Amino acid sequence: MLSARIRLFIAALLLGPILLYWGLGIAPSEHRTEPPRALQEGEDYFATDAHTRVFNMKGQLEQELISPRLDHYPDQQISALSTPHIVLYREDGTVTTTDSNKGTLPDDRSKALLTGDVRVNDRSTTGIETRVLTEKLTLYPDTKFAETDLPVTILSDNVRYDAVGMKASFEEQTLNLLSNVQGKHENEK
């Protein structure tokens, strides 16, 4: 009887480390390593045909974001957007749309950085449409404000302005051109 207990004890001593190895997945000589940096900075989710809406406190539609693909990167706390289309609605019923080739949007949605063939269309209550063309634009959707320090072209009715740098408030319908401003007006025929 005593020898059976000793055999059982010896078997437990021999099998114990093996069972622990299988149970924990690591050998005593191994150590866990962090995943490669590229995996840590990778996307944690993506969405195709993304369409988000933001409503104000009165329940009225205030913003829309449409993008064929949205990739979220948790380490950077941003979403990368492909060909984003952003619509800003004002209380007076007018609409401003912004399109670009690419964009990034932080998790707090405070600003959108739009790059590549950026086009802004703004229609005032008088019916006059203003288009802004540039290669990079920072858009603050909550305040309906936009700015760039790159060359910009503004087209409105029969007027064209070219400048370097711009600050625009779509809510107040103001546009400030920062430097090298040139304008051209064509009379209607």
Side-chain angles (χ1 to χ4, degrees):
M1 187 67 124
L2 184 60
S3 65
R5 284 185 180 170
I6 292 173
R7 281 189 218 145
L8 186 60
F9 180 71
I10 292 172
L13 283 176
L14 293 175
L15 291 176
I18 295 171
L19 293 174
L20 282 173
Y21 173 74
W22 285 342
L24 297 176
I26 59 171
S29 62
E30 293 179 9
H31 64 283
R32 293 190 186 264
T33 59
E34 289 291 319
R37 191 80 179 138
L39 290 177
Q40 291 178 2
E41 294 176 357
E43 65 183 333
D44 61 344
Y45 68 85
F46 70 92
T48 57
D49 297 324
H51 190 160
T52 63
R53 294 181 178 110
V54 176
F55 295 86
N56 63 18
M57 296 302 285
K58 298 175 185 174
Q60 298 166 326
L61 185 59
E62 194 171 76
Q63 305 169 22
E64 279 187 280
L65 167 66
I66 302 164
S67 180
R69 183 165 173 110
L70 179 148
D71 297 284
H72 184 258
Y73 298 91
D75 266 12
Q76 300 170 23
Q77 297 181 342
I78 62 165
S79 294
L81 311 167
S82 66
T83 61
H85 175 73
I86 299 172
V87 183
L88 302 176
Y89 298 92
R90 295 193 295 265
E91 287 192 25
D92 63 6
T94 56
V95 175
T96 301
T97 62
T98 306
D99 296 280
S100 67
N101 293 341
K102 293 191 276 184
T104 58
L105 185 67
D107 287 352
D108 66 3
R109 301 180 62 92
S110 59
K111 65 182 176 183
L113 178 59
L114 306 169
T115 57
D117 193 23
V118 180
R119 300 163 313 283
V120 179
N121 290 320
D122 183 65
R123 184 176 296 274
S124 72
T125 54
T126 61
I128 297 174
E129 184 175 346
T130 302
R131 292 185 319 164
V132 177
L133 309 172
T134 188
E135 282 301 310
K136 183 175 96 175
L137 183 80
T138 303
L139 177 66
Y140 302 88
D142 290 341
T143 58
K144 297 175 179 59
F145 183 82
E147 63 184 349
T148 185
D149 56 359
L150 294 183
V152 63
T153 299
I154 291 90
L155 304 168
S156 182
D157 285 346
N158 299 327
V159 178
R160 175 189 173 124
Y161 293 103
D162 293 294
V164 175
M166 173 203 74
K167 293 180 185 261
S169 171
F170 302 119
E171 190 70 52
E172 297 174 10
Q173 296 182 340
T174 60
L175 189 121
N176 295 319
L177 302 175
L178 302 181
S179 67
N180 298 340
V181 179
Q182 296 179 4
K184 182 178 180 181
H185 181 272
E186 293 182 13
N187 291 329
E188 289 185 26
K189 296 180 181 170

